Structure formats: C-alpha cells, structure tokens
Amino acid sequence: MAAFDRRAAAAAEGIRRAAVTVCVLEDSERRPYTVLIQRAPRGRNAGQWALPGGRLDDGERPLEAALRELAEEVAVTGVDVVGLLDDFVTDSGFVITPVVAFGGRQQPVGDPREVASVHAVPLERFLAPGVPRWRNGLLQMPLGPSIVVHAPTGAILWQFAEVALRGRELRVLDVAQPGWTRT
C-alpha cells in the first residue's frame, strides 16, 4: 500500500462525501479476512452488500468518518490504517474514499439498525479463479456461496485485491454500477 499512488476525486459543487473501511481482521487461527456487511432491509441501500462506512459528518475528514462508521456499524476499533485506495465517484453523486486498515483479532458485531449481517471473507477468496468476473458488462465479485458484490463496493474490493494483495496497480474509476445501486 505504501507504494500505491492514490488518486483523489476533485472537489466539485454538489458532491456528497462518504468513506468506507476495507478492514482486515484475523480469525482465531490467525487467518486474515475482510469484513463485509449486508445492509439492513430498510433505509439507504437496503439489503446491499457493503463495506462498513457512510456519509461524512460536517467538518469530518474521510479517514475519521471511515473509522467512526467502522466502530458504529460493526464495533471494530483500534485499527492500524495502512493506506487509502482511489476515490470512487458513484452514479448517485457520492465520492467514496476507501480506507484500508488492519485490526488484529476482533469479533465484528453488526449494529442491527444498520446491518442485517456481518460476513468474514477470507483474503484468499479475492485471489480465487473467477474473481472478479464480468456479466453483461458489469463487474461481479463472487465472494461466497450467496455473496456477489457489484460496484461501487465490488470495484473497491477489486482494487484492494490487486493493490494490497497482488501488489499491482489497478484503477477502477470507469467500472459501471448496476442501476439498483444508484439510491
């Protein structure tokens, strides 16, 4: 991550800011995994696969927001931030700043007001054959038997896999989003 030349989106009128955390934890056998959530069945982005995160509060910076949301949504705190990925500009007018962090052995617990379920995705899953895949011109990250993640979250996770796990440079700015993610 230290060698990655991150690209920030230019500030523009009317753009709303959000931040997410690609949080790597360890299970009881010290195997690393990433925290993925399914949003609660009500509210913004109901039922969608996501990374812990959300809108920036007034005066808040992306890093602060990402870590605040990580604590609020899945009760993970005290993480070590290792870098940031490229900002992702969504079709719905948000600029999402992805923060990559390591949190050791913690047990994420979803806040039921915002999170329907919390999932541990082993890092090796990001490197498996068929991840990512493309269907009808759309990126899909098949990360579990019933977990298929699309952009913007899928694009962020793809960039994470390439940059942090494979040591490659990848830009995902032009990855298309399915229409149902535009809420």
Side-chain angles (χ1 to χ4, degrees), residues 76-100:
V76 172
T77 61
V79 299
D80 294 321
V81 174
V82 296
L84 284 79
L85 297 170
D86 290 345
D87 284 346
F88 190 92
V89 181
T90 71
D91 294 343
S92 60
F94 276 92
V95 172
I96 302 172
T97 300
V99 174
V100 179

Side-chain angles (χ1 to χ4, degrees), residues 97-116:
T97 300
V99 174
V100 179
F102 293 100
R105 278 193 243 171
Q106 296 187 51
Q107 181 63 46
V109 177
D111 178 335
R113 295 170 295 182
E114 298 186 66
V115 177

Side-chain angles (χ1 to χ4, degrees), residues 40 50 70 79 96 127 173:
L70 182 66
V79 299
I96 302 172
L127 305 175
L173 182 61

Side-chain angles (χ1 to χ4, degrees), residues 23-157:
C23 184
V24 177
L25 299 176
E26 292 179 338
D27 67 14
S28 61
E29 296 178 21
R30 301 191 62 112
R31 293 177 299 215
Y33 68 91
T34 298
V35 177
L36 186 66
I37 62 173
Q38 188 168 34
R39 293 265 172 226
R42 63 203 167 287
R44 184 174 284 279
N45 303 316
Q48 289 186 20
W49 294 108
L51 294 163
R55 291 184 190 197
L56 275 63
D57 289 340
D58 290 338
E60 194 172 37
R61 293 190 173 122
L63 178 60
E64 296 164 337
L67 299 181
R68 174 183 52 78
E69 291 282 350
L70 182 66
E72 289 175 3
E73 292 183 351
V74 294
V76 172
T77 61
V79 299
D80 294 321
V81 174
V82 296
L84 284 79
L85 297 170
D86 290 345
D87 284 346
F88 190 92
V89 181
T90 71
D91 294 343
S92 60
F94 276 92
V95 172
I96 302 172
T97 300
V99 174
V100 179
F102 293 100
R105 278 193 243 171
Q106 296 187 51
Q107 181 63 46
V109 177
D111 178 335
R113 295 170 295 182
E114 298 186 66
V115 177
S117 56
V118 178
H119 301 266
V121 179
L123 292 189
E124 67 258 13
R125 184 69 192 135
F126 293 98
L127 305 175
V131 179
R133 68 182 184 207
W134 298 88
R135 297 285 192 267
N136 299 319
L138 294 175
L139 167 76
Q140 294 184 338
M141 296 290 287
L143 299 177
S146 61
I147 302 174
V148 177
V149 185
H150 297 84
T153 300
I156 292 167
L157 289 172

